[in-house]
Amino acid sequence: MAEQSPRGVHIVSDLFYRFIAHRLLPILPESHDQNATVISAVARSVGAFAAGGYDMLVDGVIGPWFIPLVARELEPVGVAVDYVVLRAPLEVTLARAGNRQDPGAEQIVRHMHDQFAQLGTLERHAIETEGQSPDETVAEIRRRQRMGALRLELARHAG
């Protein structure tokens, strides 16, 4: 998606975890501060690129519980944020995780898959990708973006 814009930037949030020399498995309760720091660093990077006039795409796991943190980081920049949760069957996500070099990838995927099963008030941000090609998924994201259905009201979440 980032390549579709002449000023597109693709930030892979998982890479930020690799910067930490002694990182904790991100699903452990004691990893919350680490995870919040990583999400804050990702959001600040997004803000810096957006302030420079770039179109941002963040690729990664940003749970609804971190939306207030992202909102606090990005609201002062004045950047519009669309939030998208791509859902695939557990078997598909596990197969994708099998290609990763990260220790604990399967455990992380199983845990996070459950975390995104029910989004409550953010359910409208979920896109079921089963049976869709990547191009079909991108088309659905773009369709919902045009309707404004994926937009987050940062001021409401920054609390």
Side-chain angles (χ1 to χ4, degrees):
M1 286 180 69
E3 290 177 1
Q4 293 175 356
S5 168
R7 295 195 50 88
V9 173
H10 178 192
I11 291 184
V12 180
S13 68
D14 283 356
L15 295 176
F16 283 68
Y17 284 93
R18 293 184 185 170
F19 300 154
I20 301 170
H22 302 285
R23 67 183 177 268
L24 300 170
L25 196 63
I27 59 173
L28 298 175
E30 59 268 27
S31 69
H32 179 77
D33 289 341
Q34 165 194 279
N35 300 342
T37 299
V38 167
I39 297 301
S40 180
V42 169
R44 287 179 184 183
S45 295
V46 166
F49 278 108
Y54 288 89
D55 298 322
M56 302 302 307
L57 174 87
V58 176
D59 175 358
V61 179
I62 300 179
W65 51 93
F66 278 130
I67 289 177
L69 173 61
V70 170
R72 284 191 301 276
E73 294 289 353
L74 292 178
E75 187 183 26
V77 179
V79 62
V81 175
D82 289 334
Y83 183 64
V84 181
V85 174
L86 299 178
R87 285 194 183 135
L90 180 59
E91 306 76 42
V92 172
T93 55
L94 286 171
R96 290 177 186 157
N99 298 328
R100 294 184 182 177
Q101 301 297 324
D102 293 334
E106 181 179 337
Q107 183 182 5
I108 293 167
V109 167
R110 287 184 182 280
H111 176 83
M112 296 311 295
H113 194 272
D114 289 344
Q115 297 296 310
F116 286 91
Q118 299 296 322
L119 295 173
T121 60
L122 295 170
E123 192 64 35
R124 69 184 172 95
H125 296 269
I127 296 176
E128 303 293 338
T129 62
E130 185 173 16
Q132 287 185 346
S133 70
D135 288 341
E136 290 170 324
T137 300
V138 168
E140 178 62 14
I141 292 169
R142 295 290 188 213
R143 184 185 74 77
R144 291 192 193 186
Q145 283 179 314
R146 285 190 299 275
M147 294 172 29
L150 301 173
R151 184 63 38 98
L152 284 177
E153 295 175 33
L154 293 184
R156 193 179 119 228
H157 290 283

